[in-house]
Amino acid sequence: MATENIRKYKFGNPLNTGAVVMEIAESTGNPEGFLANPKSKELQADFSKDAFVYGLGETIRGINKRGWLYRSNNADEPHHEEGKNSLYASHNFFIVDDTETCTGYFIDHPGFVEFDIGYTDKDLFTIRFNDFDFYLYVISGKEPKEIVKNFRELVGKSYIPPVWAFGYGQSRWGYKTADDIRTVRDRYKELGIPLDMIYMDIDYMQDYKDFTVNPERFPDFENFVKEMKKDGIRLIPIIDAGVKIQDGYDVYEEGVKEGFFCKKEDGKELVAAVWPGKVHFPDFLNPKAREWFGDKYKVLTDAGIEGFWNDMNEPAIFYTEEHLKEVFDNIHELENKELDISGFFEFTGLINSIANNPEDYRRFFHDFDGVKVRHDKVHNLYGFYMTRAAGEAFERIAPNKKILMFSRASYVGMHRYGGVWTGDNMSWWSHLLLNIKQMPSLNMAGFIYIGADTGGFGGNCTEDLMMRWLEFSIFTPLFRNHSALGTREQELYQFKDSESFKNIVELRYALIPYIYREFTKAVENNTMYFRPLYFDYRSDKRCREIEDQLLVGDSLMIAPVYEQNRTGRYVYLPEDMKMLRMRSYKDYDEEVLSEGDHYVKAELNETLIFIRQGQKLPLAKPARCVDELDFDDLSYIS
Ligand code: GLC
């Protein structure tokens, strides 16, 4: 049992976040490793120069977290640059691996936490809090994999999506009508590229109102859902956190009547603006509100919908009425003055302060299981509890069915209800590499159904970037091409070499029996589907610094090409492996490579796969969609 390997320490008056599912008796005294200083609201440890830090889930930078400042503060952050400190999620689990010893830590705290991992002082690891109220779990194990397993037992079994959710999905913010979606289907069909899902971004809704479908642009929606399904395609609508304020809109009116929206100190609902214009935020932390909102998904499941993505649930705030007024007042004041340079910067500062303003997150409250809590103190739970609302509702609405669900914002615990995508990345080569590095730490935190916007969300994707990105994304359980309004269109039929795109997506379908088996094993055994090399090859110190190759399941290692204009890359092999250079599931070169360093050729259309010793790779015959894949008719490469 994992409980012997976990010690729980209580500091202050922590809230129950719902992350942990196991009862653990509290230990007293100072926790191993860190020294607690309630006065300065810090935990601090000496940080040996050999220590590596793994974890923290979805973040920027590398697999080894040493040398930067990471903040748990779920943020609507479309600029995933290395200078940032927070992304959309807070996953406060990490392992300090000192080669001789390694220890895991989980800080269960729903508010702001700062991890200063040798940033201020290279010899110190400091964790800072705004509120020194948290549970600290210290998790032991002889190696990282064992610590991860013990941690994952503590936080409960990860979400498993339906099998078809391992197919390929096409998405774009900008499909406005049923005919736009039919075009996507038809173009994929013409080229014979498999496709399982087409995602519906906010434009399917009536005025961006959750749980509505625009009847002019999507007439007879139920039949449209059926028509697509006949072609093997599921429609996956987006659900946003904010509920539009509009008289006559049932979700808005019921929410107000029942008191299910987040309120300010004065008892009035907070008014924020997001895509729909002015919205209220459902209080997902209130179990009754959660049940009410969750039941709304039935509007769409009744129409035949079997999957959703939850968005804008940090929650993103474009502006609040209060702060916007403050900004305008200040600007008017500046307007009447001579604008010197400091006045000019004050002016631009005011404009930049409008969206996602920290002050705004202090303006509203939750009824958290009967306790009134200011939002910022539980900020990182909001996306988790929105997704929990959906997950719990699916158990009522469709108890015998698996529904696809993934979210943008998350906290540990949400992994029991859904997966995540890594938010608004860019069509940059560096973000392909970031995608590779983000995967193992998300797995550590329990998120196994994961993936990024393949090809990049913002910016303009080039054909070669799309191809290289696909060659990596065919291994991510969530495999979706998504892009932003106004960017270059990046459906695979927009590019010239459709034959190669088809081959890569077909290779994914051939790999699905392997991917699904390894995914399920990771969920059932609390292991990691994606692992850094060093997690398996503990005696090979070279592996510690390899962050651009990953182990995928038990049998494979991958080494994606992630730079432009490259026809190969260096690969390090910790043992002899068979290398496959795959142009398609049936057209490939095989070569046994010995342990050590190699320069390996890989033309733009070639995916590199390495089979580990004693292992074999099963391959299915691709089909147009997962429902038509034959999981029993497999060939093997060993
Ligand atoms: C957010 C989401 C993105 C979506 C857009 C419009 O930026 O992260 O995926 O396309 O909103 O809904």
Side-chain angles (χ1 to χ4, degrees), residues 276-390:
K278 291 189 180 170
V279 301
H280 291 325
F281 289 127
D283 186 359
F284 299 119
L285 276 64
N286 169 347
K288 287 211 183 80
R290 200 155 66 234
E291 190 179 334
W292 161 76
F293 191 87
D295 283 341
K296 297 290 171 204
Y297 285 79
K298 192 166 183 298
V299 172
L300 291 160
T301 55
D302 281 351
I305 292 296
E306 298 169 72
F308 300 89
W309 45 312
N310 280 348
D311 191 23
M312 308 303 277
N313 50 4
E314 294 72 32
I317 297 180
F318 293 168
Y319 67 83
T320 61
E321 285 188 327
E322 285 81 1
H323 183 55
L324 198 64
K325 184 173 178 316
E326 288 162 8
V327 169
F328 277 130
D329 288 349
N330 287 323
I331 287 180
H332 286 317
E333 232 171 78
L334 286 173
E335 200 181 7
N336 302 321
K337 283 190 203 153
E338 184 75 26
L339 206 63
D340 57 14
I341 286 302
S342 68
F344 168 74
F345 283 113
E346 197 184 324
F347 171 74
T348 52
L350 281 165
I351 303 288
N352 292 332
S353 77
I354 298 174
N356 305 317
N357 187 292
E359 223 15 78
D360 283 335
Y361 292 107
R362 292 192 272 270
R363 282 184 212 277
F364 61 104
F365 294 80
H366 296 273
D367 175 358
F368 190 19
D369 292 328
V371 182
K372 183 177 169 183
V373 190
R374 204 174 70 193
H375 174 80
D376 61 304
K377 298 188 179 291
V378 286
H379 174 69
N380 297 331
L381 295 184
Y382 195 71
F384 165 16
Y385 276 65
M386 177 186 183
T387 302
R388 180 172 172 186

Side-chain angles (χ1 to χ4, degrees), residues 76 88 172-173 201-202 238 240 275 309 311-312 408 421 423-424 453 457 480 482-484:
D76 169 23
Y88 308 86
R172 179 170 171 86
W173 174 16
D201 208 318
I202 46 176
I238 195 169
D240 279 357
W275 300 127
W309 45 312
D311 191 23
M312 308 303 277
R408 194 170 74 171
W421 95 100
D424 298 348
D453 287 349
F457 175 74
R480 180 176 80 143
H482 181 50
S483 56

Side-chain angles (χ1 to χ4, degrees), residues 164 196-199 228-229 232-236 304 306 627:
W164 52 261
D196 264 271
M197 289 156 277
I198 301 180
Y199 287 80
M228 296 305 288
K229 203 167 164 186
I233 293 166
R234 262 100 173 170
L235 295 173
I236 314 296
E306 298 169 72
D627 286 345

Side-chain angles (χ1 to χ4, degrees), residues 148-200:
V148 169
K149 198 174 166 67
N150 292 338
F151 168 68
R152 296 258 301 281
E153 273 181 44
L154 176 73
V155 295
K157 187 175 153 178
S158 301
Y159 162 80
I160 302 183
V163 187
W164 52 261
F166 288 80
Y168 174 61
Q170 180 62 59
S171 184
R172 179 170 171 86
W173 174 16
Y175 302 150
K176 286 198 163 52
T177 63
D179 279 345
D180 289 347
I181 289 179
R182 287 191 181 101
T183 303
V184 176
R185 171 199 61 191
D186 295 346
R187 301 290 302 272
Y188 272 94
K189 213 172 170 181
E190 274 161 35
L191 295 174
I193 303 180
L195 185 64
D196 264 271
M197 289 156 277
I198 301 180
Y199 287 80
M200 300 172 79

